[in-house]
Structures are given as C-alpha cells and as structure tokens.
Amino acid sequence: MLGARAGAAASNNAAISRRKKEAAAAADEPENEEQDDEEKPLNDWVHRYTRKLPPQAFLPLFSVLVIAMLLAVMLPVYFSFVAANAIQDEARVWPLDTVLDEMDQIDQFIVELDLTAVDPETRTASFLFDLSLGGVYEHDTDSGVLDLKDGFTLSVKLGHQSLSYDSGDSVSDQFLDFVIDDISPLFNYPFDAYTLTMEIYCSEVNETDTSNIVSERVPTGVILYEGEQGWTTSAKLTALTFENGTERYGTKVVISIVRADSVKFFSMFIVILMWVISLGMLAIALNYVLSKSLELYYDVPGLAIALLFALPFVRDVQPSIPTVGITIDILGFFFNMILIAIATVMVMAALSARHHKVEHLKARAATDRGMRTEAQRMAMQMEEGNSAPLRHTEKSMAIDVECAPSNEQLIKANQEAPEPREPEPEQREPELEPLEPESEPRGSGAFDVERAPLTEQLMIIKANQVAPEPRELEPEPREPELEPRERLMNQQR
C-alpha cells in the first residue's frame, strides 16, 4: 500500500510540473510570435535578394563591405589632418586686423618669413626671408634694387641677426637660421617642444655724418608662414613697446614648436609594434625550446636572426627620430633588442642540442642494428651446434653395426674374458652455469632471448657458448654375457 501511494504521488507531481511548463510556454508564445513577425520581413528581404546571386559574387560583396568600413574610419582622420594643415598654412600678419592682400598698400617695410625646417639636433629653425616695400616706399624697389638716399642704409633686425642694405643692393630671397630654445629636450622625443623668440623691425641709418650716426625706425609689417610638415606651431605677434609702455615700430614674434599629432601617433605605434614583435619572438623561442620534437627545421632560428637585424630599421621608420639613446629607446628599443637576442641564443642552443641528440640517436640505432644482427647470427650458430651431436651419434651407430662381431667370436671372447671390473668414474671439469636474465618476459615462465635487450642477448649467448648445458646420458643396460662381446668390439676398433 505504501509503495502504491508513493508511486501515485510521484506521478501527480510529474503531471503538475508538466502542466506548469506547458503554461509557461503558452505564455511565451505570443512574444516569440511577435519577434518572429518582426524578423520575418527582414529575413524575407535578405533571402529574396541573395538567393539570386551566384556563389562567386559573395567575395566581391565582402571586399566592398571591408573597403567601405576602412574608408569610414580613414576619411574622417584624413580630413581632420587636412584641416589642421590648412590652419598651419595660413599667414599671420602684423599689424593685426590687416588683410594679406592690403599689406603692400600700407606705407611700411614688409618682412616675410616662411618656416622651412626645424632641426632639434642643431637647435635651429630655418626660414625663407623676403623683404618688400609698400605704399610710399614701393618706388624704392621698382628696378629690383634698393634705391635709398645718398648716405643712407637700411638695417633689418631679426632677433640676434641683423641685415644691412645699401642703395643699389638687390632685394632677393634668402635662407636664415635662427636659434631655438628647448622647452622639452630632444631626449623626450616625440614629446619634445621648442620656442623661438625674436624682435623684428627696420631702421634707416643716416651715415652722412660719421661723427653722428642717426638710426631711425621705420614702419615695419610682418608676414609669417609658420606651418611645417611634421610640426605643429603656434605664433604670437605683439607690438614692441618702450619702457613707459608706449608702442614703437616693430613686432615681437614668439613661436611654439611641437611635434605633430600624426608623428606622435605613429611613433607610439612603432614602439608598441616592437614590443609585440619581441614578446612574440620570445614566446615562439620558448615553444621551440620546450618542444620535445626532434625535427630539425630552421624557420624559427632564421626568423630570430632576421628580427635581430631588422628591428633597428623598424625603429628608424619613426619620422625625424634622433640617434639611439632617447626616452622611447630606454623604455622600448633596448629591451626589445635584449629579448630578441635572448630568443635567438635560446633557439640556436636548442637547435644545436637537438641536432646532437638526433646524431646520437642515429648512431645508437646503427649500433642496435649491428648488435641485433650479431645476436641473430650467434643464435643460428648455437642452433647448428646443438644439432651436430645428434648427427654424430647416428653416424657412430652406423659404424657400430658395420663392426659388430660374429657369434663364434663372442663365445671365444667369453671363455677367455677375465672377471669384469667396475670402471672408475671420470673426473669432470666443473660445469659453468649459463647466465640467466634479470627478469623473465611478461606472459611466459621461460626466458625469451629474442625479446630481451640486445646487450643481455649477447651476454646470454656467449655464456651458453662457453658453458653449454650438459646432457644427462642414460646408462646403457649391460648383460653379463655381453661384456666380452663389447671388449672384443673395442679391440677390433
């Protein structure tokens, strides 16, 4: 009764749990149907337009999709750099709020500077210098040369440099180098920063009276092009003032020079790439060393040696990078070279050890083959030696039959035969027991020579040759009346 009740209760519980699951599934069906209804049009559209395409058309579609994704990432970056370069290429003018096209209409001497190169190693910045005149001074250069009054010279002050022009001198472009000061030294490449400060003004010098030379500043305008590839510059132009704060002719130019964002990004990418290469090479070398394979392949050693010589060229790919010894070398390049050198040494040592082991195994295999051949040959000799006594016994029996005496000779020998004596036992040399193996082969009680190691086979075979197993000879039955016969047969032999 108790068992029947327990079975009924278990069946009731199973029925209740089944009904709950069915109810939960029925409650989820409307939501699933709504999701299926939403996804069905999309699936129908994809299936409708893709089932008509041949299989070879999916590769071009995938290529187009990949190219579109790359363009979506690259084009915004490209246009941002184009915009930044456009800003850098714009001219900065002084006086402020002056349009570039109106500079030659103002009565002033115009100094135009265009940044062409920045060399942090020599702490210099190169500019292309051009001098022009505007307004009432323009007629002084109509013929291409400077036309000044007699006894007057023109002095152009550019920071620590000073240019002097006499009447009749040609006004042409020329390159000038200016010393820059470092805010962040070159050691911090690519995060080094520099600044250039200079005062620009022009003066007319009256040298007619050598005892009293008079210098008078003239209105001076400045046109500055500060953009340079690989650098980001920021120029600030202000008016020169006297000690009392009143303005005077001239302009103070302060230019801040730092690396461009593209240079910083690419330099950091190269540093990360070198770390990935060196760590990957170290992992490959460890896998090569710890591998138990005896295959002699040279692709990993070749890769390690190639990277050891290629990594310095990878470092030099960075734009305008100085010689070895900067911050990113200490944080990256030095340790990268050390890791690759360690990997190269490990791989070469493992290859040498593996080559030595393979040669040792080859020599051992050759020795084993020779020992196995020798063991087989000696086993065959032993088999031939064991069958030889049997053949000799058969031959002796044939000789005994041929030499058997007649009955008359036997009777005469019995009459003349003296009383027989018991033969003395022969002294035998101590028998050598053959060497037995250390352990018997599995699955059998007898020792199997063929399954034993080669060295043990040779020892057992040689021991058996030295001391063969003695055979017990059955005593020959003798009859008293036949003893003279045997003696006679021995005499006849």
Side-chain angles (χ1 to χ4, degrees):
M1 291 295 291
L2 293 176
R5 290 179 181 178
S11 62
N12 291 333
N13 293 333
I16 291 171
S17 61
R18 184 171 60 255
R19 290 174 184 174
K20 289 181 179 179
K21 291 180 181 179
E22 292 176 356
D28 294 338
E29 283 181 359
E31 298 179 359
N32 296 333
E33 290 178 358
E34 292 178 0
Q35 294 178 0
D36 295 340
D37 293 339
E38 293 176 357
E39 296 177 357
K40 187 175 181 180
L42 179 61
N43 295 333
D44 293 342
W45 181 84
V46 173
H47 181 68
R48 184 188 307 165
Y49 288 96
T50 57
R51 66 181 180 179
K52 298 180 181 180
L53 296 175
Q56 59 271 19
F58 287 97
L59 181 59
L61 288 177
F62 179 75
S63 302
V64 171
L65 180 61
V66 172
I67 293 173
M69 294 176 63
L70 292 176
L71 291 177
V73 174
M74 292 188 297
L75 288 179
V77 178
Y78 169 76
F79 286 117
S80 65
F81 279 107
V82 169
N85 290 331
I87 295 175
Q88 290 290 311
D89 292 338
E90 292 181 358
R92 303 292 302 276
V93 297
W94 181 267
L96 297 176
D97 300 330
T98 304
V99 182
L100 181 62
D101 296 336
E102 298 177 357
M103 290 290 292
D104 56 352
Q105 299 176 8
I106 302 175
D107 299 337
Q108 62 183 354
F109 288 82
I110 304 172
V111 176
E112 182 177 344
L113 294 173
D114 186 3
L115 180 62
T116 57
V118 178
D119 189 358
E121 295 184 358
T122 58
R123 300 291 195 279
T124 58
S126 298
F127 286 86
L128 179 63
F129 168 75
D130 181 32
L131 178 64
S132 61
L133 286 74
V136 296
Y137 301 102
E138 188 175 2
H139 67 278
D140 294 340
T141 56
D142 288 341
S143 60
V145 295
L146 192 62
D147 185 11
L148 300 175
K149 298 177 182 180
D150 294 339
F152 283 81
T153 60
L154 178 64
S155 175
V156 180
K157 184 68 173 179
L158 301 170
H160 298 287
Q161 298 192 32
S162 180
L163 303 178
S164 180
Y165 293 92
D166 294 329
S167 180
D169 289 344
S170 175
V171 180
S172 59
D173 299 343
Q174 56 182 315
F175 288 96
L176 301 176
D177 293 332
F178 297 91
V179 178
I180 58 177
D181 300 323
D182 53 348
I183 300 174
S184 178
L186 184 60
F187 179 76
N188 296 330
Y189 174 93
F191 301 101
D192 49 336
Y194 307 93
T195 182
L196 172 62
T197 303
M198 59 181 173
E199 295 180 355
I200 301 175
Y201 58 88
C202 299
S203 302
E204 283 187 347
V205 182
N206 186 359
E207 297 180 347
T208 55
D209 187 1
T210 56
S211 61
N212 185 17
I213 298 176
V214 179
S215 176
E216 181 181 0
R217 292 192 182 186
V218 295
T220 305
V222 176
I223 300 175
L224 177 63
Y225 294 94
E226 55 179 335
E228 173 60 18
Q229 185 68 32
W231 298 90
T232 299
T233 58
S234 176
K236 182 180 180 181
L237 282 66
T238 58
L240 296 178
T241 59
F242 292 100
E243 294 180 357
N244 57 7
T246 58
E247 294 185 1
R248 59 178 178 171
Y249 294 133
T251 307
K252 182 179 182 180
V253 179
V254 179
I255 305 175
S256 298
I257 306 172
V258 295
R259 302 278 179 178
D261 293 338
S262 58
V263 175
K264 295 178 182 178
F265 170 79
F266 190 73
S267 179
M268 291 296 100
F269 170 76
I270 294 298
V271 172
I272 296 173
L273 178 63
M274 289 192 296
W275 271 110
V276 172
I277 291 174
S278 58
L279 292 176
M281 187 64 247
L282 183 62
I284 295 173
L286 290 175
N287 182 52
Y288 186 86
V289 171
L290 299 177
S291 176
K292 296 182 180 179
S293 175
L294 296 179
E295 183 179 358
L296 296 176
Y297 52 90
Y298 299 89
D299 50 352
V300 175
L303 177 62
I305 295 174
L307 287 179
L308 189 63
F309 291 96
L311 199 66
F313 294 96
V314 176
R315 175 197 177 274
D316 293 339
V317 170
Q318 302 177 66
S320 304
I321 187 170
T323 56
V324 176
I326 57 178
T327 303
I328 58 175
D329 292 334
I330 298 174
L331 298 178
F333 179 68
F334 290 163
F335 292 100
N336 301 147
M337 290 296 295
I338 291 172
L339 291 178
I340 293 182
I342 293 173
T344 304
V345 173
M346 290 171 56
V347 168
M348 296 302 295
L351 179 63
S352 177
R354 189 174 297 182
H355 186 273
H356 177 73
K357 189 173 183 179
V358 169
E359 293 297 329
H360 176 71
L361 291 177
K362 288 182 179 179
R364 183 176 179 181
T367 304
D368 290 346
R369 286 195 298 269
M371 294 175 67
R372 188 178 294 108
T373 304
E374 182 68 16
Q376 293 176 357
R377 185 180 64 81
M378 296 175 69
M380 294 175 63
Q381 291 179 356
M382 286 184 61
E383 293 177 357
E384 293 178 356
N386 293 335
S387 61
L390 298 177
R391 292 193 297 269
H392 179 70
T393 303
E394 295 175 356
K395 184 176 180 181
S396 301
M397 291 175 65
I399 295 173
D400 292 342
V401 172
E402 292 177 358
C403 300
S406 60
N407 293 330
E408 296 177 357
Q409 293 176 348
L410 289 174
I411 295 170
K412 186 178 180 180
N414 288 331
Q415 293 177 356
E416 297 176 357
E419 185 177 357
R421 293 181 301 175
E422 295 181 1
E424 297 179 358
E426 299 179 358
Q427 295 182 356
R428 296 184 180 180
E429 297 180 358
E431 298 176 355
L432 298 177
E433 296 181 359
L435 297 175
E436 294 183 0
E438 298 178 359
S439 62
E440 295 182 356
R442 299 177 181 175
S444 63
F447 182 74
D448 192 354
V449 177
E450 296 181 356
R451 296 184 180 180
L454 297 177
T455 54
E456 296 183 2
Q457 292 182 22
L458 293 176
M459 294 173 61
I460 294 168
I461 293 171
K462 290 181 179 179
N464 290 331
Q465 286 182 344
V466 174
E469 183 179 358
R471 296 183 179 181
E472 297 182 358
L473 300 178
E474 297 180 356
E476 296 180 357
R478 295 182 179 180
E479 296 180 358
E481 64 274 8
L482 297 179
E483 289 180 358
R485 178 184 177 183
E486 292 177 358
R487 190 179 301 111
L488 181 61
M489 289 176 62
N490 293 332
Q491 291 177 0
Q492 291 179 356
R493 288 178 182 177

